[in-house]
Amino acid sequence: MCRYFSLSVTLRYIAVMTMLFSCSGHSGSHQKDIDYTKLRYVMVETQIARRDITDKNVLEAMRTVPRHLFVPEEFRDDAYRDGPLPIGHDQTISQPYIVAIMTQLLKIDSVSKVLEIGTGSGYQAAVLAEISDSVYTIEIIPALGRHADSLLDSLGYTSVQVRVGDGYLGWPEAEPFDAIIVTAAAPKLPQPLLDQLKVGGRMVIPVGQFSQELMLITKSEEGVVKESVIPVRFVPMTGEIQKRQT
Ligand code: SAH
């Protein structure tokens, strides 16, 4: 079964590479775009599909969103590597695999209403918007929020709603959400976000300070179930939550 799977992944990889490498003969920025597309397909095959990401929508979204445009120009050629990258203001864009696993855990589809806390570069929001028609995202650092908003618009992700502010309080006018994704580490679960999650909804959030766990929270009529998924390392959630630690 396992060998079967890896054979099919390898065949898909060869097919994709053949297709991409046959697109030669271009020059300048068009050639560069093709190079980034190749790198992106290789990223998905080697870092995402070969690990435990099986959701077709997530794989397709990661093949589609031009990650290199979400990082500062000097890091473009590193955008498809297996790690996080700086995006300025002491913040980072997450490792591609972490974006993929968090998105997969949300189990969203086109009609899901999704809230992200921590817009950062806007990359995770774009991945969500490839799957879901209704994405809301909040960023506490105004310069990052404004930059992500205009980048998302210019790339055609016009349905993503970006707000500058403290995500601790969520987005009360748009609640309840089918899914909430927090991309900064919280010392504990933010109660307003739990309140804004639909019954049947899912929240993915890194919890902890020095040692952090990615937690999956599911909400049912009976209450909230918390599962630890993997150890992670995120930048801290700032703002109101830091005043509420005692
Ligand atoms: N999802 C982003 C990366 C997130 S980095 C991407 O795809 O690029 C974490 C982000 O969370 C940072 O931009 C940080 O400023 C933001 N953040 C931290 N605390 C926050 C809060 N209370 N509300 C909203 N955003 C917050």
Side-chain angles (χ1 to χ4, degrees):
M1 180 68 184
C2 199
R3 198 174 295 161
Y4 209 72
F5 171 75
S6 77
L7 179 66
S8 90
V9 168
T10 309
L11 288 177
R12 210 150 26 97
Y13 177 73
I14 292 168
V16 164
M17 287 304 103
T18 310
M19 179 191 82
L20 290 170
F21 281 98
S22 65
C23 301
S24 56
H26 298 282
S27 60
S29 72
H30 187 54
Q31 179 60 51
K32 197 79 184 158
D33 286 345
I34 293 170
D35 292 343
Y36 285 129
T37 305
K38 279 182 208 164
L39 290 175
R40 191 157 62 246
Y41 273 73
V42 173
M43 170 191 85
V44 173
E45 292 308 324
T46 58
Q47 302 169 32
I48 312 289
R50 235 175 247 184
R51 293 186 176 137
D52 50 355
I53 308 303
T54 51
D55 183 324
K56 288 197 170 61
N57 290 336
V58 175
L59 294 170
E60 198 48 38
M62 304 280 298
R63 282 190 196 105
T64 309
V65 180
R67 182 171 160 94
H68 61 282
L69 299 180
F70 290 85
V71 300
E73 219 159 333
E74 66 265 35
F75 296 121
R76 277 204 179 149
D77 290 351
D78 300 319
Y80 297 103
R81 292 204 179 151
D82 195 12
L85 284 172
I87 53 170
H89 305 268
D90 289 329
Q91 307 302 321
T92 53
I93 179 174
S94 303
Q95 178 191 8
Y97 171 69
I98 295 294
V99 172
I101 192 170
M102 290 176 84
T103 310
Q104 175 165 274
L105 286 165
L106 294 175
K107 292 204 174 147
I108 50 172
D109 59 25
S110 64
V111 296
S112 308
K113 194 194 270 190
V114 188
L115 173 66
E116 179 194 25
I117 308 301
T119 316
S121 68
Y123 176 70
Q124 173 75 71
V127 170
L128 295 169
E130 286 289 339
I131 304 172
S132 163
D133 295 337
S134 192
V135 176
Y136 297 76
T137 180
I138 307 177
E139 170 55 51
I140 203 165
I141 298 178
L144 285 177
R146 284 196 296 265
H147 181 263
D149 194 12
S150 65
L151 179 60
L152 287 163
D153 264 358
S154 73
L155 294 175
Y157 296 105
T158 48
S159 67
V160 177
Q161 303 211 40
V162 183
R163 174 177 277 184
V164 168
D166 188 341
Y168 176 79
L169 292 171
W171 198 307
E173 308 90 303
E175 63 127 346
F177 295 96
D178 298 286
I180 300 181
I181 172 171
V182 182
T183 62
K188 60 180 187 179
L189 295 177
Q191 188 59 43
L193 298 183
L194 287 175
D195 295 342
Q196 290 176 26
L197 191 61
K198 247 183 216 172
V199 170
R202 297 161 76 83
M203 174 154 102
V204 177
I205 176 169
V207 179
Q209 284 169 297
F210 303 109
S211 101
Q212 303 168 4
E213 289 285 325
L214 187 63
M215 305 288 296
L216 170 65
I217 315 297
T218 43
K219 192 172 182 181
S220 70
E221 298 283 7
E222 290 75 47
V224 157
V225 176
K226 303 171 193 171
E227 287 167 65
S228 168
V229 184
I230 42 166
V232 283
R233 190 176 311 171
F234 276 80
V235 294
M237 189 170 178
T238 57
E240 188 63 27
I241 197 146
Q242 297 196 327
K243 297 183 202 145
R244 295 185 179 243
Q245 278 185 53
T246 47

